[in-house]
């Protein structure tokens, strides 16, 4: 199985699908999404970490690549039997750590003939197909790969959690407008059902969005396991007036 | 074969795809759409009824679920050899009736460990995969399912049709801006080519959008078999200034 | 393998997928895109020409069809072992020429029962499935097909290129806002790295978007091989203030 994720929208991903089908014929090819926020490596890294672990072992071709055509490396990463193929710009670091404790990084030493503007089609898709055809276990012995000892890292900020409060920030806003924070959902477990304050204002807590009336704000635990600021059947980003990176203090 | 439909947009459906591939490996998985209008059960029920009958017998996992995490039931419905998996909120009632005359409803008695906010990933996708692996015919004997005798119903309003007029309403507006009414297309059959009045104003009728000039209004029969108010190469919703649920009188 | 491309957005393409799976069961079905600009045959023809040649030989069902329900022909085109199925409105002419030197055109003489508004579902998807099941090589002998000697043509304008300047126009604006011109990338090859003037104003050239600072304009060669006017991590259409069909003079 191969998966594809990118910020290419439409229609460019079709060329990647074509290249992969041309090289693998019978492979199952699954789109993760091609609507990752444009050239936003950090948000894309969050979503890859949330989504890829649900898949069986596969070759995952992931491209959010503002440095396409520059000298940033192209990499193949092995993590717990999965293979990740993409640019070395931090995009793959969180998901690699999440999949396996000791990911192995390889840089691609020979990208072959390629445009300077669409390595998704010209480098990453063909390499994903090559890894798929060789088998993930064969990656350490593939030609044109060298161990990469210092891949570009990307870390999400650590929240400060005590018995009385949790101080974190908004990591990502999803398509529904839910504000996904970096505060672990466990913090809310013993307070569930009681109101808390968010940046000084009282907000109810609830396990389900429908724990409050439509259009009402709530603090819940999202499907990613983190504290989420939301509005039942509405947009949390507007109601809480917070953006990515802004501070969230829950007391 | 399994199909997936939801209002999740991007990227959440990827987690559902991952769960299903993890549990079924070789199954063919087809996306219906993930752009159903957010938390609009009625419109989603219309589209499922229009779309799923075109498929061969399959397990259809359908999630538009404003009550996620509350005590609404999760169900499996058998209809003419298809299986529908989703929430018991009316979403599946029209398509179940459309597929088979006597659908059998089962509620899921044990949902297992699940988040409170993403049953698409944690309940419906795994159950769709379980039904697929067991085989649709085995559903009546599956553990953790009980017959459900009074599922939540959802009916579309019945139009009033006589030899001189048809009084109905706008059911759904599609992506093109076409106004899909509940008036059966048969009403228009003998009038095709002659002008009619729509809410008192004369509008031409035509079998094809291109029966009128670009940007001109027309009354036609849509691909769903209902009377549709449209604009050739334009948006009917703007030209007719009508919204969902508003009355349409054709004379 | 079958592929699907259209301007139908969501959710109509699901009915086409259903029809094809109903008729072919085990076929691999790949979506190219369903977000081609609405009823814009010329832009869609450009993208089909760019995308389909990356695929292995397949049946490609392509529908951008403002004349649906009129007397325009429905066609099957053979080109280098690929089969294209769609309306005869110019959409398939550039990709057919691009795939093979001597494409063979057939018109469908019998479309069977069909709505007047959704030939994607009622004519083109079933015919794509029929061609897939018969095998592409069997097309010349299929019933209900007749050679079509004068298909509707569609040509992209030819640029004027000399040693001192290139005069062309904007062919297409992609989702990123990049302005794709009809000027061949070769024109830029020997000037790469030196500034040029675009419609009289100096703009740097570069192989990669990141050759200039974020938000800065550049002239590059896009993945389609043509000269592209772009902004690093921004939108070229806004920065250059040019639309489709407008003149581009590079000196």
């Amino acid at each position: 199985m191969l998966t594809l994720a990118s910020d290419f929208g439409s229609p460019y991903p079709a060329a990647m699908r074509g290249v992969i089908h041309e090289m693998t014929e019978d492979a199952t090819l699954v789109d993760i999404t091609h609507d990752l926020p444009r050239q936003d490596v950090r948000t894309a890294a969050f979503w890859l970490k949330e989504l890829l672990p649900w898949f069986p072992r596969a070759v995952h071709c992931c491209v959010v690549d503002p440095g396409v055509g520059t000298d940033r490396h192209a990499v193949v990463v092995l993590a717990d039997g999965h293979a990740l193929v993409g640019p070395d710009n931090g995009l793959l670091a969180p998901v690699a750590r999440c999949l396996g404790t000791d990911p192995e990084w390889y840089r691609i030493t020979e990208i072959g003939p390629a445009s300077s503007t669409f390595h998704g089609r010209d480098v990453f898709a063909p390499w994903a197909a090559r890894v798929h055809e060789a088998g993930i276990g064969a990656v350490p012995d593939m030609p044109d790969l060298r161990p990469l000892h210092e891949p570009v890292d990307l870390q999400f900020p650590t929240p400060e959690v005590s018995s009385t409060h949790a101080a974190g920030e908004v990591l990502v806003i999803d398509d529904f407008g839910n504000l996904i924070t970096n505060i672990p959902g466990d913090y809310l477990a013993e307070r569930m059902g009681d109101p808390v304050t968010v940046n000084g204002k009282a907000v109810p807590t609830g396990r389900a969005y429908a724990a409050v009336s439509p259009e009402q704000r709530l603090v819940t635990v999202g499907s990613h396991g983190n504290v989420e600021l939301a509005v039942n059947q509405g947009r949390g980003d507007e109601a809480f007036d917070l953006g990515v990176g802004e501070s969230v203090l829950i007391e």
Side-chain angles (χ1 to χ4, degrees), chain A residues 46-47 169-183 198-199 209 217-222 224 226-231 234-248 250:
Chain A
F46 174 84
W47 286 118
E169 63 178 67
V170 176
L171 280 186
V172 165
I173 300 175
D174 73 13
D175 256 24
F176 287 81
N178 299 318
L179 300 162
I180 303 173
T181 75
N182 62 340
I183 300 171
V198 176
N199 293 350
Y209 298 123
R217 305 193 303 170
L218 85 158
V219 182
T220 189
V221 180
H224 31 73
N226 290 3
V227 169
E228 189 174 290
L229 310 180
V231 165
R235 294 193 65 92
D237 51 351
E238 293 168 6
F240 286 91
D241 195 22
L242 285 170
V244 169
E246 292 195 85
S247 297
V248 174
I250 299 183

Side-chain angles (χ1 to χ4, degrees), chain A residues 26-90:
Chain A
D26 289 330
T28 299
L29 178 56
V30 182
D31 284 302
I32 301 295
T33 179
H34 295 285
D35 293 322
L36 292 168
R38 287 278 158 82
Q39 297 165 329
D40 178 349
V41 172
R42 191 169 171 279
T43 300
F46 174 84
W47 286 118
L48 293 179
K49 174 177 76 71
E50 291 303 315
L51 296 169
L52 298 189
W54 295 98
F55 278 81
R57 283 165 181 167
V59 180
H60 305 286
C61 181
C62 307
V63 191
V64 176
D65 190 16
V68 60
T70 65
D71 59 2
R72 63 97 189 87
H73 293 308
V75 294
V76 178
V77 191
L78 297 184
D80 189 35
H82 294 260
L84 308 165
V85 180
D88 179 34
N89 60 9

Side-chain angles (χ1 to χ4, degrees), chain A residues 124-141:
Chain A
F124 300 119
W127 264 92
R130 279 179 68 177
V131 170
H132 182 271
E133 294 303 282
I136 293 173
V139 164
D141 300 318

Side-chain angles (χ1 to χ4, degrees), chain A residues 150-228:
Chain A
E150 297 203 357
V152 173
D153 197 14
L154 188 153
Q155 301 270 357
F156 295 107
T158 308
E160 180 195 318
V161 180
S162 77
S163 60
T164 58
H165 73 282
E169 63 178 67
V170 176
L171 280 186
V172 165
I173 300 175
D174 73 13
D175 256 24
F176 287 81
N178 299 318
L179 300 162
I180 303 173
T181 75
N182 62 340
I183 300 171
D186 290 348
Y187 174 73
L188 224 58
E190 60 202 53
R191 290 160 182 83
M192 193 57 83
D194 301 329
V196 293
T197 65
V198 176
N199 293 350
K201 290 184 187 158
V203 183
T205 60
R207 280 187 213 286
Y209 298 123
V212 297
S213 305
E215 307 301 327
Q216 296 302 302
R217 305 193 303 170
L218 85 158
V219 182
T220 189
V221 180
S223 58
H224 31 73
N226 290 3
V227 169
E228 189 174 290

